[in-house]
Amino acid sequence: MSSSSPSPPAPAKATAGSNAERSRHHNRKVVLGYISANAPAGRAEIARASGLSTQAVSNIIADLEADGFLASQGRRKGARGQPPVQYAINPDGAAALGFELRPDALFVTLVDIGGAVRHSARIPLAASGPAEAAFEIMKAANTAIAQSGLERSRILGAGVVMPGPFGIELDRGSEAELHGWADTDPAVFLSNALEMPVIVENDATAAAIAERVRGVGAGLDTFCFVYFGTGLGLGIVARGQVMRGAFGNAGEIGHIVVEPGGRPCECGQSGCLEAYTSRLALRRMLAEAGVKADSAAEIEALHEAGAPALTAWLDSAAPPLSRAIAMLENLLDPQAVVLGGALPDRVLDDLIARLDLPAASVSNRPDRKRPRVLRGVSGRTTAALGAAALVIHDTITPSLEPS
């Protein structure tokens, strides 16, 4: 038996590049994406992995270094002859803003291209219509950029996540929905306000992306993310791709009926999941008991104190959520269902512990290596982090077909 040390893991494969001049933008993403996954890396290594010529890689690296995206790491030690110069992502070279707009609050993050969070904040909102939200987003962006130490020219753009549905207003008066946006294209409106490119995404989908980038979804190709905002949303990742639906509204899980004839819901139905298992439902149950808790910190304090009203909500929320999870499992066959968002970790842990998942599910497999339900680790800024990650992903990840 050999006593030699194990071989290092193989580097991530690069998407194939193209030497055509029309594909220069695509090739920049190929090089950036490879270095992001395999830093430090040299020109010849990148050329071999991407199919680009060494000269093309050299030209692209020179441009990326001049633009501040890459930084030289010196020459590789121990290599024969003239060691190759190694390159890595320069975290000060670029960053993206991420916003989560809720009816009662705005979350903002600024994430650099190396993945570090440079700024994070929660801003309470008295109103969340287009004019009011744009004003607060502009103020929050200026503060984030100033505190990050980066120049505004280094900001690639902003991702903004909002609770659905998109493109329609259901006039159901829900506290979990944004009102006044039905006739406004949020991407165009906010891009004009911020004077930078803006990507708009469903909040639960963005949260799922964040959890896949830096959370428990990192090793999962197919999973569901049940997102606790004010209401309840669902992000779906299938074989590494997010499922958005025809109009970006896939995942409206909050208004699936899980208790026929049950509690009345603002949407006009009775027995919706959101009426039992959401932060909105929790706040109402607490209010009925004469307890007010608007923030995650206040909810966490009640949980630590063993507040009876909070315990009652956990007991009432778990059964309908168990049925909804079984429905997701049988419909989508995920590797796991992840719970995360605005609720404190310990509250989510207790909710998961109370679940009674049906045995009649395709996810109830004898070869299962992880629990059917996991708690996310990205915390209350999950969706805002996902919004920033969308912008960075668009910058460093090439599409399958070069444009």
Side-chain angles (χ1 to χ4, degrees), residues 29-44:
K29 291 185 177 185
V30 169
V31 173
L32 270 176
Y34 184 85
I35 294 175
S36 177
N38 299 284
R43 294 182 181 91

Side-chain angles (χ1 to χ4, degrees), residues 175-235:
E175 295 177 49
E177 296 170 9
L178 294 176
H179 298 287
W181 287 87
D183 298 323
T184 301
D185 184 327
V188 174
F189 181 74
L190 294 174
S191 179
N192 290 334
L194 289 170
E195 298 182 328
M196 66 176 66
V198 169
I199 297 172
V200 173
E201 185 56 89
N202 175 286
D203 52 3
T205 297
I209 291 167
E211 202 65 42
R212 188 163 193 258
V213 170
R214 53 185 295 164
V216 297
L220 302 175
D221 288 327
T222 300
F223 69 96
C224 297
F225 190 102
V226 178
Y227 181 68
F228 290 82
T230 302
L232 203 65
L234 177 69

Side-chain angles (χ1 to χ4, degrees), residues 182-338:
D183 298 323
T184 301
D185 184 327
V188 174
F189 181 74
L190 294 174
S191 179
N192 290 334
L194 289 170
E195 298 182 328
M196 66 176 66
V198 169
I199 297 172
V200 173
E201 185 56 89
N202 175 286
D203 52 3
T205 297
I209 291 167
E211 202 65 42
R212 188 163 193 258
V213 170
R214 53 185 295 164
V216 297
L220 302 175
D221 288 327
T222 300
F223 69 96
C224 297
F225 190 102
V226 178
Y227 181 68
F228 290 82
T230 302
L232 203 65
L234 177 69
I236 306 166
V237 176
R239 296 189 175 182
Q241 302 295 316
V242 294
M243 186 183 297
R244 292 184 170 89
F247 303 100
N249 291 319
E252 277 289 301
I253 192 175
H255 297 285
I256 290 176
V257 174
V258 291
E259 293 277 4
R263 294 178 187 172
C265 181
E266 293 164 331
C267 72
Q269 301 185 112
S270 296
C272 289
L273 180 61
E274 191 171 285
Y276 296 86
T277 311
S278 66
R279 195 164 63 100
L280 184 62
L282 169 59
R283 284 165 51 183
R284 288 175 178 167
M285 187 168 285
L286 292 175
E288 290 171 2
V291 179
K292 184 179 180 181
D294 292 326
S295 70
E298 291 171 325
I299 293 172
E300 187 168 22
L302 289 173
H303 179 261
E304 291 182 0
L310 180 52
T311 300
W313 175 77
L314 287 167
D315 290 339
S316 67
L321 180 59
S322 299
R323 290 191 285 277
I325 288 172
M327 186 188 307
L328 292 176
E329 290 176 336
N330 285 323
L331 282 172
L332 300 171
D333 193 20
Q335 292 166 280
V337 175
V338 181

Side-chain angles (χ1 to χ4, degrees), residues 6-200:
S7 301
K13 294 182 179 179
T15 301
S18 169
N19 285 305
E21 182 61 30
R22 67 179 178 82
S23 299
R24 185 172 182 79
H25 184 62
H26 169 79
N27 291 343
R28 279 172 61 100
K29 291 185 177 185
V30 169
V31 173
L32 270 176
Y34 184 85
I35 294 175
S36 177
N38 299 284
R43 294 182 181 91
E45 175 187 340
I46 298 166
R48 287 193 300 271
S50 66
L52 293 165
S53 69
T54 303
Q55 184 58 54
V57 171
S58 296
N59 293 340
I60 292 168
I61 285 178
D63 288 345
L64 291 171
E65 201 172 8
D67 291 343
F69 284 82
L70 296 182
S72 170
Q73 304 296 296
R75 296 186 182 275
R76 179 182 293 170
K77 295 179 180 179
R80 295 180 181 179
Q82 178 75 335
V85 177
Q86 303 291 291
Y87 294 91
I89 296 292
N90 174 20
D92 292 327
L97 288 159
F99 298 96
E100 181 191 3
L101 179 61
R102 296 182 189 166
D104 60 349
L106 175 70
F107 287 81
V108 55
T109 62
L110 190 146
V111 180
D112 67 38
I113 198 170
V117 178
R118 298 289 190 99
H119 175 82
S120 179
R122 178 188 184 276
I123 301 160
L125 296 180
S128 56
E132 299 89 349
F135 178 73
E136 293 295 342
I137 286 173
M138 286 188 290
K139 281 203 310 180
N142 291 335
T143 300
I145 294 168
Q147 294 188 3
S148 73
L150 298 173
E151 297 177 4
R152 193 178 187 90
S153 61
R154 294 293 180 188
I155 306 303
L156 298 168
V160 179
V161 298
M162 309 165 70
F166 290 154
I168 56 174
E169 191 145 347
L170 299 182
D171 194 29
R172 58 195 184 196
S174 173
E175 295 177 49
E177 296 170 9
L178 294 176
H179 298 287
W181 287 87
D183 298 323
T184 301
D185 184 327
V188 174
F189 181 74
L190 294 174
S191 179
N192 290 334
L194 289 170
E195 298 182 328
M196 66 176 66
V198 169
I199 297 172
V200 173

